[in-house]
Amino acid sequence: MFSGLNLRHIRLVGSYWMRFSLRTGGGLMAIFLVLFSGLMVAHLFITPVEGLIDRASMDGHTQGEAADDIARVAESEAIVNAVKWITGQDQAEVEYLLREQPALLSVIWLMLLLLFPFVTSIGSFNQTAGDIGNRGLRYLLLRTERSNIYLGRTLGTLYFSTASLILLMILVLLYVGLKLNLYSFGALMGSGVQGFLALLFLSLPYITLCGWVSSLFDSAFASLAICLVLVGAPIIAISAIDANTHADLEWLERLLPWGWKYELLSGDIGTRLTAYAVMLGFTLLFLLLGMRHFNRRDL
Amino acid sequence: MAASMSIQGLGKDFGRFTALQDVSFEVPEGAIFGLLGPNGAGKTTLFSIAAGFLSASRGRVEVLGTDVREISALRGRYSMLPQDAAFQGGIPVIEQLVMFARLNGFSYDEAEAKAIEALELVGLGDVARRNARALSHGMMKRVALCQAFLGSPELMLLDEPTAGLDPENARGIRELVRGMRGQRTVVISSHNLREIQELCDHAAILHEGKLEACASMDELTSSGTLVRITLGEPLTDAAAADLQALPQVASLERTGPMDFNLQLDIESGDQKDEALKSINKCLIGTHDLVPRSLNEGASLERRFLEITGGLYDGSSSS
């Protein structure tokens, strides 16, 4: 599986995969999906805040007073309890997100963490399946090892996801920073980097999980369907069990990348680094499973 | 003679179906080698295993002294025209060929030059910037052949290179292959037996997954008692009667207005020379019919059908 690995080949396959995906439209759709879903989520939370600012302005408050009003709303017990309920995090973590970090951005990142496994799946389901089906990989197979093709396609998908994420972050931060003018530049950048890393590390295991699924099928549609089922079904199942039994199912969630997502925004650096490591572990597991299967199957 | 490709005990199962069973043969270096067989014989399966698309259930394939499972080690030295691989539809062909050439080890500029050179070799230099989707079937076939030429490989496998092409394109590809004689080793799979007989100096015949014959073309088609003649004008009834009356001729079989086979009734090579002299004297001397070609031995088609159990009706395959 590891013999014949060639970094140059992996980079070539990855860069051409990204380039060709953009040119054929698939990549553009993936970028559009990330931006659309991300900006929709941001819009949900930014709109009420804009309303509060407008009202404060109409009441004759200054920008600083408006920011204080909004901070008071964000730190209110109702909001804190809502975030605690959604994330299952303790008081200290929630206070970190709402008081020590820009609350609006923290809430946006939290919602994006819920959404991104699905968005990532839709952008990653066709790393190899379509080309296995139409035998488009055969010209590559004559020139390089299978592992290089597989890793190259994964790398290309990662390039895409990262670029899409950076674009989303820039748009959200620019809007919040310039239009709302609630936070300092340092606070925005700090929260932006933390949010970007959280979403990136959450995407990684889902990219490699979908890469594995993509290698199992010679139909892009089948790959998409199974990816969404694999991402969504465990979450729905655990939620359903939790709702019916009220048993402590945290241990079950921890078996999925999903169960570690909020730790990616933790105020405690040790917890955050542990979450990064767990995500990398899941990423490596799915990557190796996918590579193993891809190396053995008929193409 | 060294072997460019060595197939050893090759077997391939798809579930319960055995597509290849204990196939072993060698392709001599520098040969143009034909791989023949009826539909479903296992030709494409064998090519797919040799190219690394499929894994063998048993046995091994060595190409240029290296196991095909280590394809990177053969980079640039070995190429294939797959029967049914696809290019990316919305991408210019030149960009895809450049990518392939870069994987073969060339820098960007070298790869672009190689790609243009290969496209011009197959007569497609002016469609380099077109998307693959915008090309006709014949053009795509030539582009696919073009990628096999990238980097001047030592060994090429061509799976049905002329299938689905119009006569002009097919002729062009045959000329290309003919031009490779002596420069590299070529293995061709085709249903066009006349094409194989013209181009190849060795051939193997597969039938139902088994190797039925593997030899030089001369050995495969040698049959000391058959002569195939093509005239410049139709064979007259009188000439046919006179030929059949010759003591060395056992039977005459018309295969076309100007084509016919003579089965000779002889016991030695010396008698064959005498027989040929008599035939020429009869045709040219008596009836003023000049043979355009005179070939000794059975046609490949006849041998192929004998081996595979098909019926030979004397007509040529397309």
Side-chain angles (χ1 to χ4, degrees):
Chain A
M1 192 159 71
F2 299 108
S3 68
L5 281 184
N6 184 314
L7 201 56
R8 180 174 176 268
H9 281 197
I10 294 169
R11 282 204 315 260
L12 272 174
V13 172
S15 67
Y16 274 101
W17 171 237
M18 188 174 75
R19 211 187 298 182
F20 289 174
S21 293
L22 275 172
R23 300 272 291 278
T24 56
L28 283 177
M29 283 301 298
I31 291 176
F32 172 76
L33 185 69
V34 168
L35 292 179
F36 179 78
S37 52
L39 292 174
M40 282 301 295
V41 166
H43 173 74
L44 278 173
F45 295 98
I46 289 174
T47 304
V49 171
E50 280 182 311
L52 284 172
I53 292 175
D54 289 341
R55 201 184 318 157
S57 173
M58 277 165 39
D59 290 344
H61 291 184
T62 63
Q63 185 70 28
E65 285 168 344
D68 290 340
D69 289 342
I70 289 161
R72 268 195 293 280
V73 169
E75 293 166 23
S76 67
E77 199 174 330
I79 299 294
V80 168
N81 287 339
V83 173
K84 272 169 78 173
W85 179 77
I86 289 169
T87 65
Q89 301 293 289
D90 60 26
Q91 182 80 13
E93 289 288 359
V94 175
E95 284 183 5
Y96 166 76
L97 288 172
L98 297 179
R99 289 183 187 155
E100 294 180 46
Q101 293 292 314
L104 176 60
L105 289 178
S106 295
V107 169
I108 291 173
W109 306 150
L110 286 172
M111 291 302 109
L112 286 177
L113 285 173
L114 284 174
L115 188 64
F116 248 61
F118 300 94
V119 170
T120 303
S121 304
I122 296 174
S124 309
F125 71 93
N126 194 24
Q127 290 175 49
T128 51
D131 282 341
I132 291 172
N134 69 14
R135 308 206 169 154
L137 289 178
R138 290 189 163 188
Y139 293 124
L140 295 180
L141 286 169
L142 294 166
R143 292 167 167 87
T144 189
E145 302 293 345
R146 291 180 177 219
S147 298
N148 295 329
I149 297 171
Y150 189 85
L151 290 172
R153 289 287 175 100
T154 304
L155 187 66
T157 307
L158 180 61
Y159 286 157
F160 243 121
S161 296
T162 308
S164 307
L165 207 44
I166 289 172
L167 197 53
L168 176 64
M169 288 293 159
I170 289 172
L171 289 172
V172 170
L173 291 176
L174 275 176
Y175 193 86
V176 171
L178 296 176
K179 185 86 194 300
L180 302 184
N181 199 17
L182 291 174
Y183 308 111
S184 67
F185 177 78
L188 280 175
M189 290 310 297
S191 178
V193 168
Q194 192 177 355
F196 168 75
L197 287 174
L199 289 168
L200 180 64
F201 273 86
L202 180 63
S203 297
L204 288 176
Y206 289 101
I207 289 172
T208 54
L209 172 65
C210 293
W212 178 26
V213 171
S214 186
S215 74
L216 296 174
F217 299 99
D218 55 8
S219 156
F221 179 75
S223 177
L224 172 62
I226 299 301
C227 282
L228 290 174
V229 166
L230 280 180
V231 170
I235 298 165
I236 295 168
I238 291 172
S239 300
I241 296 169
D242 183 31
N244 284 310
T245 65
H246 302 288
D248 181 9
L249 294 173
E250 189 183 335
W251 66 272
L252 204 54
E253 278 197 348
R254 294 301 205 184
L255 294 178
L256 308 171
W258 177 268
W260 297 82
K261 60 187 179 301
Y262 296 122
E263 274 83 351
L264 294 168
L265 288 174
S266 173
D268 175 50
I269 191 72
T271 304
R272 219 186 304 161
L273 288 176
T274 302
Y276 291 160
V278 168
M279 291 303 179
L280 288 176
F282 276 118
T283 302
L284 195 61
L285 172 67
F286 297 140
L287 186 68
L288 291 174
L289 287 171
M291 264 175 71
R292 184 170 175 271
H293 182 82
F294 188 76
N295 271 288
R296 292 178 182 202
R297 66 160 294 162
D298 289 340
L299 294 172
Chain B
M1 190 187 288
S4 283
M5 189 160 95
S6 173
I7 314 281
Q8 299 158 23
L10 194 64
K12 176 65 179 176
D13 303 319
F14 293 100
R16 288 189 191 174
F17 172 67
T18 299
L20 288 173
Q21 195 173 323
D22 196 26
V23 175
S24 298
F25 64 88
E26 290 187 345
V27 176
E29 187 179 337
I32 298 187
F33 191 101
L35 183 64
L36 310 169
N39 291 328
K43 304 184 298 298
T44 295
T45 302
L46 189 148
F47 268 34
S48 295
I49 294 172
F53 305 156
L54 308 179
S55 54
S57 302
R58 291 168 297 282
R60 63 190 263 131
V61 178
E62 269 187 14
V63 167
L64 301 171
T66 304
D67 193 311
V68 287
R69 287 171 291 191
E70 294 160 31
I71 195 87
S72 282
L74 296 163
R75 203 171 71 222
R77 301 175 63 203
Y78 165 49
S79 72
M80 181 184 174
L81 168 64
Q83 191 180 50
D84 51 7
F87 281 77
Q88 300 277 340
I91 306 294
V93 292
I94 184 77
E95 289 188 33
Q96 299 185 60
L97 293 172
V98 166
M99 175 177 67
F100 300 151
R102 290 181 77 185
L103 286 170
N104 277 358
F106 295 107
S107 68
Y108 182 86
D109 291 335
E110 287 171 341
E112 194 173 38
K114 292 285 178 192
I116 291 170
E117 183 187 321
L119 281 169
E120 284 170 355
L121 185 64
V122 299
L124 289 178
D126 56 348
V127 304
R129 306 280 162 200
R130 277 201 225 167
N131 286 352
R133 195 180 289 133
L135 301 182
S136 68
H137 171 72
M139 284 177 167
M140 275 316 303
K141 195 86 180 194
R142 283 192 282 161
V143 171
L145 185 63
C146 173
Q147 64 80 32
F149 278 111
L150 285 173
S152 300
E154 296 167 42
L155 168 66
M156 292 175 65
L157 306 186
L158 306 178
D159 196 353
E160 307 268 2
T162 58
L165 296 183
D166 62 45
E168 188 181 343
N169 278 324
R171 187 177 60 86
I173 287 177
R174 281 196 291 274
E175 288 306 315
L176 267 173
V177 172
R178 203 172 274 121
M180 289 191 266
R181 192 182 296 279
Q183 295 175 21
R184 54 177 66 103
T185 309
V186 182
V187 183
I188 307 175
S189 130
S190 176
H191 285 120
N192 188 330
L193 299 177
R194 179 176 285 181
E195 176 179 273
I196 293 290
Q197 188 162 5
E198 278 177 25
L199 290 175
C200 301
D201 36 40
H202 290 76
I205 299 177
L206 293 181
H207 182 51
E208 294 180 350
K210 294 179 198 161
L211 182 71
E212 298 290 352
C214 179
S216 67
M217 195 56 68
D218 287 341
E219 287 167 352
L220 271 178
T221 58
S222 70
S223 169
T225 60
L226 188 75
V227 178
R228 292 174 288 119
I229 300 175
T230 300
L231 299 173
E233 49 198 287
L235 177 69
T236 61
D237 290 342
D242 283 349
L243 283 170
Q244 285 185 294
L246 290 173
Q248 302 98 329
V249 174
S251 65
L252 182 149
E253 180 188 14
R254 288 179 187 261
T255 56
M258 293 181 278
D259 303 284
F260 59 95
N261 295 337
L262 293 174
Q263 191 69 44
L264 303 181
D265 182 13
I266 54 175
E267 289 174 2
S268 69
D270 292 339
Q271 290 182 352
K272 191 173 185 181
D273 291 337
E274 280 301 312
L276 290 173
K277 278 184 194 170
S278 300
I279 290 166
N280 275 320
K281 189 177 172 186
C282 175
L283 284 171
I284 299 170
T286 308
H287 295 279
D288 203 22
L289 293 170
V290 179
R292 269 177 38 206
S293 70
L294 191 153
N295 296 301
E296 299 168 43
S299 70
L300 182 61
E301 182 180 2
R302 179 191 280 266
R303 281 291 284 141
F304 177 85
L305 291 170
E306 278 173 10
I307 288 169
T308 60
L311 293 174
Y312 181 72
D313 64 2
S315 56
S316 301
S317 60
S318 58

